[in-house]
Amino acid sequence: IQKEVAHLDHTMQGFLDYARPSNLKRAMVEPAEFLKAVVRLLGDDIELIVADELPTIALDSDRILQVLRNLVRNAREAAPEEKIELLGNDRGDYFVMEVRDRGPGISLELKDQLFIPFVTNKSGGTGLGLAISQRIVKDHRGRLELRPREGGGTVARMLLPRLPLSVEESTPPERLPHAQEGDRS
């Protein structure tokens, strides 16, 4: 009974997170320091690949941490014995973060439903993690993409535009050209 109550509580909290209007608390963040803190919080099975000289970016660090926590959890579930890579790159007008795993990749039947609430292939999953993550990234006027990783696995790419703290309206980026697997600039 306690497990079911905890599961229902988790599901309800996820639903509330998805339905609640976003109130971002943006602040200027040093991307390299932010990602180093993320790795300290989320575990030593994460290999951080980030340049030290990255321009600051305005973001809600708690909400972006929530996205990264979800993406890392998904990567761990996909490949529990493998190291996860967390990359941070400057792409001019965008700051790009990637979570890379070596799991089985995204199934064809789920590919087009990844961000739809309550769609999941995990037993005990709510199907809200990626939907909430996508919403947080869109609230930052960014994009969240999932694609197959060369050699097997998945790349979850978050593109966040470099916007001033006071931005109210803008549009998310269409698409950036995909970086090569070995491109770490």
Side-chain angles (χ1 to χ4, degrees), residues 1 12 20 30 32 41 51 74 84 95 119 141 158 182 185:
I1 291 173
M12 185 57 69
R20 177 180 305 134
E30 297 290 335
L41 283 169
N74 289 347
I84 298 162
F95 176 60
V119 174
R141 309 294 187 245
M158 184 180 354
S185 58

Side-chain angles (χ1 to χ4, degrees), residues 66-67 70 128-138 144:
Q66 181 181 353
V67 173
N70 182 61
L128 287 170
L130 287 175
I132 292 168
S133 295
Q134 182 186 50
R135 176 153 179 240
I136 291 169
V137 173
K138 280 186 175 182
L144 180 60

Side-chain angles (χ1 to χ4, degrees), residues 1-183:
I1 291 173
Q2 287 177 335
K3 278 185 175 179
E4 286 303 313
V5 168
H7 177 70
L8 286 172
D9 182 56
H10 177 70
T11 302
M12 185 57 69
Q13 187 59 48
F15 180 73
L16 291 172
D17 285 346
Y18 184 74
R20 177 180 305 134
S22 176
N23 293 321
L24 295 181
K25 293 177 179 75
R26 291 152 80 70
M28 296 307 289
V29 173
E30 297 290 335
E33 294 305 313
F34 172 70
L35 291 176
K36 288 175 187 174
V38 166
V39 170
R40 283 192 300 274
L41 283 169
L42 299 185
D44 59 2
D45 62 335
I46 301 171
E47 178 184 353
L48 179 61
I49 304 166
V50 63
D52 287 327
E53 299 295 321
L54 294 170
T56 59
I57 184 167
L59 54 81
D60 183 326
S61 57
D62 290 336
R63 303 293 292 202
I64 295 299
L65 173 61
Q66 181 181 353
V67 173
L68 289 170
R69 182 175 277 129
N70 182 61
L71 297 176
V72 166
R73 180 178 41 249
N74 289 347
R76 282 188 180 126
E77 290 172 359
E81 304 298 318
E82 300 287 331
K83 260 207 178 301
I84 298 162
E85 294 177 353
L86 174 60
L87 284 79
N89 294 312
D90 179 41
R91 295 279 188 242
D93 290 340
Y94 303 98
F95 176 60
V96 180
M97 289 178 270
E98 292 182 349
V99 175
R100 297 177 174 182
D101 69 56
R102 287 289 180 193
I106 301 166
S107 69
L108 291 175
E109 54 270 2
L110 278 183
K111 186 178 178 192
D112 294 331
Q113 301 176 331
L114 288 173
F115 301 108
I116 297 173
F118 306 110
V119 174
T120 185
N121 65 349
K122 298 177 188 176
S123 65
T126 63
L128 287 170
L130 287 175
I132 292 168
S133 295
Q134 182 186 50
R135 176 153 179 240
I136 291 169
V137 173
K138 280 186 175 182
D139 288 346
H140 280 82
R141 309 294 187 245
R143 290 182 59 84
L144 180 60
E145 304 172 345
L146 276 76
R147 62 180 178 90
R149 182 176 182 185
E150 190 175 312
T154 301
V155 175
R157 176 179 285 172
M158 184 180 354
L159 301 105
L160 299 176
R162 296 192 179 282
L163 300 172
L165 276 174
S166 63
V167 72
E168 294 299 322
E169 287 296 323
S170 72
T171 57
E174 285 304 316
R175 284 190 155 242
L176 286 181
H178 288 293
Q180 297 297 318
E181 185 75 24
D183 181 12

